[in-house]
Amino acid sequence: MQDLDDLDRRLLSLLRANGRESVADLSRTLGVTRATVDSRMRRLTENGVIVGFSVRVRDPATASVVRAIMLIAVEGRNTGDVIRSLRGVPQIAALHTTNGRWDLVAEISCESLASFDATLGTIRGIEGIRDSETSILLSSATP
């Protein structure tokens, strides 16, 4: 991958905030010509730095979803068994192994606080889980 200069990084930051921003607006914000923005975007795309453009849509049905991150410590060498058990919990959207104090990170998504509470109970009841810490995600910041 190529080295990015300051203009590339500023352009990428603007595109992350609004991938549909016009080249004219980008060039005005960056203080460069439209041709410069156009050629930079083309080069970044051809070199695989930009892999696509998308639109993020907030689904009204998911606006009230309770999302959380759960950090999990596993007893001894039971990580494989715990992972197999966690895969059976449908509210776990993603599961990651990690290092440090916590062995696993679970991304949880529930339709209500009652479902979230029940899910926490289910996860904490899995044999081999020694400790956990959970944080509800209040909002998401776009990089």
Side-chain angles (χ1 to χ4, degrees):
M1 188 181 295
Q2 71 185 36
D3 289 330
L4 302 178
D5 65 15
D6 183 59
L7 180 58
D8 290 331
R9 285 188 289 278
R10 291 186 311 147
L11 174 59
L12 290 171
S13 178
L14 291 171
L15 290 171
R16 279 188 190 107
N18 182 1
R20 293 180 43 96
E21 190 76 48
S22 72
V23 172
D25 287 343
L26 291 168
S27 67
R28 256 190 308 280
T29 302
L30 295 169
V32 298
T33 67
R34 290 173 56 173
T36 299
V37 170
D38 215 21
S39 67
R40 292 287 179 125
M41 287 177 61
R42 189 176 320 102
R43 182 176 46 81
L44 291 168
T45 302
E46 288 170 356
N47 291 335
V49 175
I50 295 175
V51 294
F53 295 86
S54 65
V55 175
R56 293 183 312 253
V57 178
R58 178 179 303 245
D59 182 355
T62 62
S64 62
V65 169
V66 178
R67 297 179 313 127
I69 297 294
M70 181 181 234
L71 306 172
I72 301 168
V74 177
E75 285 180 359
R77 300 179 185 264
N78 296 325
T79 304
D81 294 334
V82 170
I83 288 173
R84 279 187 284 284
S85 295
L86 290 171
R87 285 188 177 139
V89 179
Q91 294 83 2
I92 295 180
L95 186 61
H96 312 276
T97 59
T98 186
N99 66 334
R101 178 170 186 255
W102 304 103
D103 302 301
L104 302 169
V105 176
E107 296 178 40
I108 301 170
S109 181
C110 297
E111 65 277 357
S112 67
L113 282 174
S115 171
F116 177 68
D117 188 40
T119 300
L120 291 184
T122 298
I123 293 171
R124 289 177 178 151
I126 292 174
E127 188 171 333
I129 292 182
R130 177 173 40 89
D131 194 11
S132 68
E133 181 178 315
T134 306
S135 295
I136 293 177
L137 301 175
L138 301 176
S139 65
S140 296
T142 305

